[in-house]
Amino acid sequence: MMSRPWIARAFLSRPERLLPTSALGIALLAYLALPVYAGGPPLAFDTFNALQFFARLAPLVLGLGLTMFAGEFDLSIVGTYALGGMLAVQYGGTHWATGIAVALAAGAVIGAVQGALVARFNISSMPVTLGTYIALLGLTKSISGGLSKTYDNISVTLWVDRQIAVILSPRSLLALAAFVVIGLILGCSRWGREVRAIGSDRRASRVSGVRADRLLIGLFATSGVLAAASGALLNFSLGAANPDPGTQPLILAAVGALLGGVSLAGGRGTVVGLLAGALTVSLLAQIVTAAGLQGYLAQLFYAALLVLIVAVEAPGLRRAWTRTSVRLHSRRSAERTRPTDSRKVAS
């Protein structure tokens, strides 16, 4: 049996494990408590819907989280998501594979160019990816003329959303497969350690021989591919491409990555944690839908959740928590030794 100190060291003291596990556990309990506020127990259809939302969100969480491992942010994921979806619909009418290939290639090129700018010229990723995000939305609207574009290949639309084992679909299975593949690549190679190393201290990692530039370019390219794939599969599912998905996908992806235990400062996080973060947000979204909450309430809820996570991540708050814990521990130790000293004086 594992001793409590071992558990404390291996789990409770590791935010990248504690935060996603706690968040997913709370979300699961809230999901199972649906009868309290939705008038009925969660059905298989609710779980299917939650996993459909997961299929849309999870690639964005994974792409954003990977860049955050390295201490960067890819704000362009929503722009790539919109452009990838539009290209897939534009070129995938005759055969879906052509549309997917064009979308993934565009995502890879966009990501690689951004990664090269960030790595080679030491430019902050925030302005680079924010500018790319705005430019990609403009490019997407120019392709569609500012209007939604219909996808006429009904067989593909039906296939990507067909039910598998009641609660799954090809889209949700592909999203889960992306986590498995990238988790194995980072977990079974030196790349996982090196990505976190350049997030912790880029200069030191370069001195120790880590090819930080190549890794950054690869991470941004992967993020671009994931975002484009998510947009393409979603638009195949909807049978239409929307040139402006709004900012909600970016907000929810950031919430999912942070709930997954990724540090805002970089150097911390796991692919399993990102999976838990994406599942947590998907379950919460389904709870909001099943409970019939107003859209603005859901936005306020996600905003409050994001503020709470950022506050917990604040270094000053962590230092205050550590000082308080040490002070309480010292006080309890003094209280435990006081009776012993009193007995010694009496004898």
Side-chain angles (χ1 to χ4, degrees):
M1 184 178 175
M2 293 180 293
S3 65
R4 187 173 178 178
W6 187 92
I7 295 175
R9 286 195 303 273
F11 183 78
L12 297 179
S13 62
R14 302 281 297 272
E16 69 272 26
R17 296 179 182 177
L18 177 62
L19 187 57
T21 307
S22 305
L24 183 57
I26 293 170
L28 277 172
L29 289 175
Y31 183 68
L32 294 174
L34 267 178
V36 176
Y37 39 83
L43 304 173
F45 185 70
D46 292 316
T47 308
F48 177 79
N49 276 345
L51 290 175
Q52 288 294 89
F53 190 88
F54 168 83
R56 168 187 173 185
L57 177 69
L60 302 181
V61 173
L62 183 56
L64 181 63
L66 288 175
T67 57
M68 290 174 70
F69 286 176
E72 303 292 349
F73 295 92
D74 186 1
L75 301 180
S76 71
I77 51 171
V78 178
T80 312
Y81 168 82
L83 179 64
M86 187 60 70
L87 291 174
V89 167
Q90 178 90 3
Y91 296 99
T94 305
H95 199 288
W96 62 270
T98 306
I100 286 283
V102 173
L104 297 188
V109 170
I110 292 165
V113 170
Q114 290 185 111
L117 289 173
V118 171
R120 299 289 167 80
F121 300 104
N122 288 324
I123 305 174
S124 170
S125 58
M126 294 285 278
V128 171
T129 57
L130 180 60
T132 306
Y133 163 58
I134 297 169
L136 291 178
L137 285 184
L139 178 59
T140 306
K141 288 180 180 178
S142 72
I143 293 173
S144 68
L147 302 173
S148 296
K149 193 173 183 62
T150 305
Y151 184 64
D152 297 325
N153 196 333
I154 301 297
S155 60
V156 176
T157 298
L158 294 175
W159 182 81
V160 294
D161 281 342
R162 73 186 179 94
Q163 285 184 294
I164 299 174
V166 181
I167 61 172
L168 296 168
S169 71
R171 275 206 304 142
S172 57
L173 285 174
L174 285 170
L176 288 169
F179 279 89
V180 172
V181 171
I182 293 177
L184 287 175
I185 291 173
L186 294 184
C188 300
S189 72
R190 68 177 192 281
W191 290 339
R193 296 188 299 275
E194 292 181 349
V195 166
R196 282 182 277 273
I198 62 177
S200 298
D201 190 335
R202 192 163 303 171
R203 181 175 297 179
S205 66
R206 281 185 167 129
V207 170
S208 61
V210 174
R211 296 179 175 179
D213 292 0
R214 290 187 181 184
L215 278 175
L216 281 173
I217 293 171
L219 288 174
F220 275 93
T222 304
S223 176
V225 168
L226 288 168
S230 176
L233 291 174
L234 176 67
N235 288 353
F236 282 167
S237 166
L238 297 175
N242 178 5
D244 186 2
T247 57
Q248 191 187 43
L250 178 60
I251 294 170
L252 296 184
V255 171
L258 293 171
L259 282 176
V262 179
S263 171
L264 287 168
R268 194 189 74 201
T270 64
V271 174
V272 175
L274 292 176
L275 174 62
L279 285 171
T280 300
V281 177
S282 303
L283 288 174
L284 293 176
Q286 183 56 31
I287 290 170
V288 168
T289 302
L293 298 179
Q294 296 291 330
Y296 71 91
L297 288 175
Q299 290 175 342
L300 289 173
F301 172 73
Y302 289 127
L305 194 58
L306 193 57
V307 170
L308 178 65
I309 297 168
V310 172
V312 170
E313 281 284 323
L317 187 62
R318 286 207 304 274
R319 283 196 293 271
W321 172 259
T322 303
R323 284 197 298 270
T324 304
S325 300
V326 170
R327 194 177 300 121
L328 290 174
H329 179 73
S330 302
R331 187 179 299 170
R332 283 198 294 268
S333 300
E335 288 173 353
R336 280 198 297 269
T337 56
R338 193 172 300 146
T340 306
D341 295 341
S342 301
R343 286 195 296 273
K344 286 180 179 177
V345 172
S347 63

